[in-house]
Each structure stands twice: as structure tokens, then as C-alpha cells.
Amino acid sequence: MNEPLIELHNIAFAYPGAPQPVFQDFNFQLLPGKHLGLIGPNGCGKTTLLHLIMGLLRPQAGSIVIFGQEVKKEKDFVDVRQKVGLLFQNADDQLFCPTVLEDIAFGPLNQGKPPAEAIQIARETMERLGLHGFEDRVTYKLSGGEKKLVSLATVLAMQPQLLLLDEPTAGLDEKTKDRLIHILKSLDIAFMIVSHEQDFLNHTVKECCHVHGHCCQPITT
Amino acid sequence: MNEPLIELHNIAFAYPGAPQPVFQDFNFQLLPGKHLGLIGPNGCGKTTLLHLIMGLLRPQAGSIVIFGQEVKKEKDFVDVRQKVGLLFQNADDQLFCPTVLEDIAFGPLNQGKPPAEAIQIARETMERLGLHGFEDRVTYKLSGGEKKLVSLATVLAMQPQLLLLDEPTAGLDEKTKDRLIHILKSLDIAFMIVSHEQDFLNHTVKECCHVHGHCCQPITT
Amino acid sequence: MHISEGVLSPAVLGGGAALAVVGCAIGLKKLDYEAIPRVAILSAAFFVASLIHVPVGPVGAHLVLNGLMGLLLGWMAFPAILIALFLQALLFQFGGLTVLGVNTVTMAAPAVICFYAYRGLLRRQGMPAAMAAFACGVTGILLSGLLVATALITTGQAFLQVAELVLLAHIPVMIIEGIITLFIFRFLKKVRPEMLEGIYA
Amino acid sequence: MHRLDPRGKIVVAGLFAVLMAVSKSYVAPLAGLALALICLALARLPLKKVIARLLAVNSFIFFLWFVLPLTYPGDVVWHFGPLSATRQGLVFTGLITLKSNAIIIALIALVATVPIVTLGQAMHDLRLPDKLCHLLLFTYRYLYVFEQEYHRLVQAMKIRGFQPRTDLHTYRSYAYLAAMLLVRSYDRADRVFQAMLCRGFHGVFYSLRTFSWQRRDGIFVMMAMVALAELLYLEWRMPNLL
Ligand SMILES: Nc1ncnc2c1ncn2[C@@H]1O[C@H](COP(=O)(O)OP(=O)(O)OP(=O)(O)O)[C@@H](O)[C@H]1O
Ligand SMILES: Nc1ncnc2c1ncn2[C@@H]1O[C@H](COP(=O)(O)OP(=O)(O)OP(=O)(O)O)[C@@H](O)[C@H]1O
Ligand SMILES: [Mg+2]
Ligand SMILES: [Mg+2]
């Protein structure tokens, strides 16, 4: 089964009121099991690309196919969001429950799991990321690095089949970066990482793509 | 005249409600013309240190001397803020006017310059940072890198004698980083940079200090 | 519920404006210069709350949160709500200028009443505080609905049925506001107790 | 229209709104509506947006149309099953609709075209309390902050499969959303204020646009006063319809 996980065909997208489009006739493909790095200068549209895949933004033209299904309407994306996890560029934007445990259990609850099971899943995920003892910590008061890790836990708790990470290392110190590399290496799902740090990408992905307004060009290293 | 620009003596500081203090008997000194890098893990107090210098936070004990004058009250700090420029860790916090030009002119206007002169200064600063054509862009719709540069322009427009930069490179692409290095090298004022990127610091500063709860320890390279 | 322009009688409009001026004067007196940015953010919150739609069965309602505003601001809820309504009138033309006084009073007076009525209970721990927070949300909307109805009926008996319907529409909103105010209160108490200082002063 | 001094425009709009709100006959509001439409035409605003605005704003009025004509006491002119509409009810609701829209259109044309920062300054010049003007300006600044944070948090809920329903989980989630929004915006407001202090802010808002009272402002206010006097006269001459 070598059907691509994500396919974007001839996507056109412009922010309302912006003078020029971010994407025009944009094409992109992600194959199963791949670990891909996305690079490109500031403002080239990397975040926009991830938000298009999650249905947080809608293209003005073109089609998006995810897991072999064309997605168009809000309803289609509801399913996509069950299977694809997105880590925001800014961890502050991702956490909104008072305590860590509640925040991690939020996703499973939305998936219809009963509370006891949701808590069970949350605890297991925390264990896996070495977040033991954080259950009742207030999310708002965590340090930058801890917030990133908890955000990752909230996403992983939904057991996604694909992970999108938007600049996971910005503002993190060396130690936390190493921990993140370690965690990512232990995952057995496909993921895509946006990053400006070549060093971090070298440790986590095998291929990198350069995002342009028209396509996503593989870089041969 | 080798009087230090900044001196901190036996500073104690704790955030209200925090279990333990960030600083305790903290001492620090910055000599004129120095370019200094501040490093340390997440949450060690680098941002707090810069905010103490600007008088945005007040120490519970100890004294702060800036440009040879002891500063204690809000009134003393008003003068300090005219001479010291701070680039915030988060550019979103720094930009608050609707358009770029208004935001850059805000500082000069507060210094009592007439609007025509303020606009003149703003335009010159923008020219210097290569921000030509950004005058009427809406500040909150800029990309991350653009926001950082505009923030720097807002600070430089006040013609400070000392610059404090809090993680200026987080989330910037290589090209913008190079541009920033270039700009910083062309400045003839003292500055202090907080950063997690050793590479960037190697290019911009000659000395680095490790921030602890008790002191700021020079690192010998 | 905003009342639009041109509905109420001059006497009601004038009375509302006068009361609003008094309330704002007291509120402004209690407002320090340093506190302005913080009150402004709550004012902005009140503005944005009316854009958040929550489902109530098949229909939707939008949040009002005037009970919460009272709990956080006390008398300062008057200027905060006035500014929020003024901006809504300017940017969306919700409500209006001549009804600004009346609308401010219908929203802010319940806020202040809630503040003084439940302050004591809110200071306590556990169940009593939670119940008081719930009651705060309910009372805020209930009183607000009653005041709107009063304004309409004083304008003319013809509005009797309209006023009844308005009150009826407030009932589901009341319960939701209660629940939401309760959860917000618990959240703030845990995450940022400094924001609740007003009730301890 | 846009170059007029905002102080003149605010005063005129205010007086106009009050006059419309107190009028009891059809003639003055009709004339007022005509005047407001002229101002709107002069302001050259995008028509589509204005119409969308008016539709949204008239929701309370729509609601009145469904209730008032049926419940107002008077001569029945129309039957529909058990319901009946009265002439007085229809007349009264029509009057409210007219007045309301005249005021709103004038407001859109005169005041909504003034940038809020300028408005704050103008209010200050009109001797409104200092703290109130500051509060207005800060609130306006923070609206964007708030809206941005709101959208980000809504996205965060969406990507974790949140779907609003009528249940406790939904209400709790909305409460957390609102509370987190409050806390984050509260802190961000602090930091923005600190940033302003760092740039020498000392309690005065300057504007790059300065306005001065010019001849055309005098002419505008004179003309507006004459028009308002006319309206007043019409209102006084015409008998109460009800
Ligand atoms: N909300 C918005 N409204 C209008 N334009 C926007 C908005 N968000 C982003 N843009 C613009 O769209 C372009 C792409 O932005 P995007 O955030 O996707 O860039 P990016 O590749 O993620 O950059 P960075 O590395 O700085 O995060 C930029 O030019 C930006 O100015
Ligand atoms: N507003 C606050 N209230 C309470 N505690 C705070 C606040 N801001 C920071 N802290 C705590 O103070 C400590 C120092 O924070 P600071 O922001 O100075 O760290 P930093 O060195 O800048 O870290 P980073 O590299 O992540 O920016 C941290 O432990 C942090 O959790
Ligand atoms: Mg991005
Ligand atoms: Mg920091």
C-alpha cells in the first residue's frame, strides 16, 4: 500500500486582503512512513501549508487528498483532525485547560472516549514522554520547553497516524532539544517538521523539502 | 571613562507567588562598548534580568546603577528607557500600532519630537534595516521574521545608547539571521544578546556569560 | 440583549444616560491610571464574548459574561462595559449611541450588584464559592433581562409582550452563563488567582 | 467627508441621534433618513458592506415586526387565524424602524469613518474624562490582541477534534477557552504596556495625523445646524400620529 498520505493538487491560496497569493498551482505529496523536513525562508508559507492540510485555512482552488480521501468541507476535515496531529509554532496557543492532565485528556474525550479511558490514555502518553508527575501542574505556568513537550503529549494522546510539527525547537535550550530528538526517533508514525535549524533536521529526518509558492522541491543532500 | 554602563548589586528577585526566587544576591556589570552574550537554560532568568534593568520589574533587595546613576523609582527609569532599548523575546508584544510607520514613529513622538521629524526618523531607520516599502503594512499580519526586524527598527528609532536583545533569532531563517548579524556589526553602541544559538553569538559578541541565580559567570572560550 | 436605536422613549433614554453617568463616575474614581490596561483588556473581553456562540440545543446563544465582569471589576464594570458597548456601536452598529446609557445600565448594574452580593461567598473555599460563581452568572443575566424588560415597559404598555418574550429568551442563556461563569471562576482561581483580587479587597 | 474635523462630526452625529430618538412623527425621521443617506453617499463607503451591516443590525427590529403589530392595541386591519394586526401597531413599528435606521446610517457615515485613535483624541478635546479616553484607546488596541488569541485558541480546539454540542463537556471547554483567553490577554496586555513604557510612553497618545479646525469644518457644522433646526421645526409642526 503505497498510496500517498497527503496529496495537494494545484492549490491556490491567498490570505484575504493580501496583495499576492502565498501559493499558486502548488503541488505536494507525502508518502507513508516518511519523515520529512520542510524548510524555506520566513514568510514562504510553511505554516500556511500545515494549516491548509488541517483545514484551518481553505484553498481558493485545487484539491486536497488525505489518506486517499478528497477533503473539501469542514465535515471531511473533522475526520482528518482525528488522524493527523499538529504541533503549533507557538506552544502557548496549543494549551488551554487549567491542568496538564485535563489538557491531554481533552483530545480523547472529543474522540468519544469515556472519561476514565481518556485519563488512562493521558497518563500513558505522559509516561512515554517522561512527563511523570506533571498531572496537576498548571499548563500556563510551565517553562517554554515543558510547554512544548506537553503540547506534543496532547497531540500524541489522540493516537494520530501522521504528525505535523511547526518549528518545534524555537526558543528551546540544548537539553530540551536533545530530549525532543530522542522522542521523535522513538515514534513509528510518519511526520513532517518545519524548522530553520539544519542541525535539528539532520538528527530527525532523512529528507528535506524547500517550500516555494509553486511546489515543494526535494533537496538532494 | 571606564565607569560601567550597568551595575547590579546583591539583587534579590522572586515573582509574586512563585515558590523560589529567580535571583538571590545577584551581581552583574556591563562595561562601555562591550558586546555581551547571555546564555543559560530555559527559565534561568535571562528575560527577568533584562526586565529588571529596564525597570519593568522591581527587585526586592539590592541596588541598580545605570549610567552612573542609581535607579530606584519609576521616575528614574523613565530616563533609563530613553537611553536603553529593549527588544522583547516575543515580537508580538512589541508591536502595537496598526501600521509599521506609526509603530516606529511612536518612540520619537514620545521623546517630544514633532510628527514630521518623527516620520523622518522612522523612514531613515527603516531604510537602514532594509525595510523599504513596509510603511503601511499592518504590523500583526507580518511574518515572524519581518516582525522581528520591525521591532528592532522601533527600538533603534529612539537612538539608544545601549541595546538589550532577548532571543532575537528565534524562528528566523538563515538569511534574516545574516542580515541581523550584519546590522548588529554596524552598530557602534554597546549591546547584550540573550540567545540559545551559539553560532549566532559567535558572530556577534566577543564574550558570553552564563546566567545563574547568583551571578553572571563569564565563559572563557 | 442590546436594545436598538429609536425604540425607547426620551424619558427612559435620559434616565438611563443619567444613571450610566453616575455609575461611570464612581467606576472611574476607583480606577487607577496603572490599572487602565488591565481594565481595558477585560473591556475587550466583554466585546469579544458577544462573538462567541455556544450551542443551546438546536439554537445558539452568545456569551454575555456580565456577572463575571462584575466579579472581576466591581464598580469599574461600568466604564469597562460602557467602552465595550460604545465600540460595538461604532464598529458593528450593535446597540447605538442614544441607547448607550440604557444598555450600559442594563449590563453593568447587575454586574455591580453581583459583585457586592456574592463577594463574601466567593472568598470562601470549595462548594460555597462554586455555588456563588454559578449564581453570579445566573443573576447577572436575570437582572439584565429584568432591566431590559423594565426599560421597554416604561416606554409604553405596548411593549408588554415584547418584554415578556425578551425575558423568556433570557432563561436558557441564564443557565449557560451560570455554568460557564462557574468554570471560568475555578480556572482563574487555579491558574491566576491575582486576577480575582478585587473580591478580597 | 473624511477630511472633516472629527470633533464637528461627533457633535453633529450626537445631536442628530438625540433628535431622531425623541421624534414622534413620521416627517422628521423621513427627512432625517434622507439627510443621513446624503451623508452616506458623500462618505463613499462600499455599499455592499453597509447593507450587510444594516441587515445585521436590524435583527431586533425584525423581531419587533413579528410581535408589536400583533399586540399593539388599536383598530384591527388584518386577520390571520387567531392573530390580528392593528393599524397603530404597524404605524408604530414602522416609525421605530425609520428612526433606528436614520440614526444608524448617520452614525456609519459620520462617526464610523473616524479612526478610533483620532476619536479618542477628539473625545479628549471635547472634555470627556481623561481616564475614559485612555480606556477607550487601550481597549481598542487590545481588541486585535484579543481577537488574534481567540482565533488561535479556537484552532487549537479544532485540531483536537472538538465539536460543539449541548453538553457539559462543551460548556466546560468554552469556559476554559474564555478563561485562558482572559489570562493570556491579561498578561499580554501587561507586556504590551511594558513595551510602550520602554518606548517612552508617559500617558499621552500622539497621532501622526493632526487635525485643526478649518473653514470647511465651520461650514459643515453651520449647515448641519441649519438642517437640524429644520428637522426640529418639522417635528414641532407635525402632529403626533399615534
Ligand atoms: N493572518 C494573516 N493575514 C495575512 N497575511 C498573512 C497572515 N499570516 C501570514 N500571512 C502572510 O502569509 C505569508 C506566509 O506566512 P506563513 O506564516 O505561512 O510563513 P512561514 O513560512 O510559516 O514563516 P515563518 O518561518 O516566519 O514562520 C507571509 O508573507 C505572511 O506575511
Ligand atoms: N510572570 C511570571 N510569573 C511567575 N513566574 C514567572 C513569570 N515569568 C517567568 N517566571 C518564572 O521565572 C523564571 C525565570 O523566567 P525567565 O523568563 O526570566 O527565563 P528565561 O531565562 O528568559 O527563559 P527562556 O530561555 O525560556 O526565555 C522561570 O522559572 C519562570 O517560570
Ligand atoms: Mg511559520
Ligand atoms: Mg526569556
Side-chain angles (χ1 to χ4, degrees), chain C residues 131-184:
Chain C
M131 289 315 294
F134 179 78
C136 219
V138 173
T139 319
I141 299 296
L142 177 68
L143 291 179
S144 178
L146 283 174
L147 284 174
V148 171
T150 313
L152 285 171
I153 294 171
T154 355
T155 288
Q157 283 301 317
F159 283 106
L160 202 59
Q161 263 87 352
V162 175
E164 274 171 16
L165 283 176
V166 166
L167 261 184
L168 215 61
H170 275 76
I171 290 173
V173 184
M174 239 161 65
I175 295 164
I176 290 163
E177 285 268 331
I179 298 173
I180 288 194
T181 308
L182 164 64
F183 279 121
I184 293 182

Side-chain angles (χ1 to χ4, degrees), chain A residues 41-43 145 167 170-174 176 196, chain B residues 41-42 143 145 167 170-174 176 196:
Chain A
N42 285 125
E167 299 195 26
L172 292 196
D173 59 23
E174 290 303 325
T176 319
H196 292 294
Chain B
N42 285 125
S143 90
E167 299 195 25
L172 292 196
D173 58 26
E174 289 303 323
T176 317
H196 290 294

